Amino acid sequence: MSEAIKVLLNRRSTRVFKDEQIKDEELETILEAGKFAPSAINQQSWHFTVIQNKEVIDLLAETFREVLLNSNQEAMVKRAQSANFKPYYNAPTLIIVSGDKNAVAPKADCGAATENLLIAAEAIGIGSCWLGSSDYIFNSPKAAELKEKLGIPETHEPLYSAIFGYKANDNAKAAPRKENTVNYIR
Ligand SMILES: Cc1cc2nc3c(=O)[nH]c(=O)nc-3n(C[C@H](O)[C@H](O)[C@H](O)COP(=O)(O)O)c2cc1C
């Protein structure tokens, strides 16, 4: 089996990280992979915000907690009230992927770029996890203030985020794949 396929199949979400920060050259390799994702009419509509500052990650976690507490969704409120509420899992690096609002397909472009970040991380032995918190945080009343603080271009909308760091555990076993998800027309 090719190395690329092995990496794709072996990647699992990491939620327990070592404290140590990843090396700059590893970060650049991951970002380079993101920038080489496919994009509609090659617009490369992504922008990557790399956050390696614990205070800033904690601020985002706190904002996320407030948004969930005000969400009127019982399960989300419960999650935010938990003493174990650590949406960024103490990961040392967070990358937010933002898409150009005027591009043809920013969600597809940035989704492809985000997946490339995760696959590249796995290929060089770094753990990662895609996080859905951006949806909540950047649709909240704090969005504009946070975007400015994080230097996200006015033209771009934060879409996806993922955390990175050295794995504290081996990859978990993958859940079984759903059946009947393919049909063939030949
Ligand atoms: C759009 C999206 C949002 C996700 N949000 C979260 C999240 O907020 N927290 C989390 O721990 N994992 C999150 N995940 C990771 C999924 O839970 C994980 O990919 C899935 O359970 C399959 O496990 P695997 O990545 O180990 O194969 C997210 C994944 C995607 C694609």
Side-chain angles (χ1 to χ4, degrees), residues 47-151:
H47 175 272
F48 303 92
T49 304
V50 177
I51 307 175
Q52 295 185 311
N53 178 310
K54 188 178 178 321
E55 276 173 33
V56 174
I57 295 178
D58 286 348
L59 171 72
L60 291 172
E62 188 48 31
T63 307
F64 186 35
R65 201 177 68 82
E66 282 168 23
V67 174
L68 294 187
L69 286 175
N70 292 320
S71 69
N72 290 329
Q73 291 173 289
E74 200 184 326
M76 292 301 177
V77 172
K78 227 174 156 187
R79 188 179 164 203
Q81 284 169 336
S82 157
N84 293 326
F85 181 72
K86 283 194 185 124
Y88 297 100
Y89 302 107
N90 295 325
T93 295
L94 165 68
I95 301 179
I96 297 174
V97 185
S98 304
D100 187 332
K101 290 181 250 184
N102 292 316
V104 169
K107 288 190 173 166
D109 299 348
C110 292
T114 304
E115 173 67 354
N116 269 17
L117 301 178
L118 307 188
I119 295 299
E122 176 66 25
I124 57 173
I126 289 173
S128 68
C129 186
W130 187 316
L131 298 178
S133 40
S134 298
D135 268 2
Y136 291 85
I137 294 175
F138 293 104
N139 283 309
S140 80
K142 294 253 175 89
E145 188 191 320
L146 281 174
K147 265 188 75 177
E148 199 184 338
K149 186 176 168 65
L150 299 175

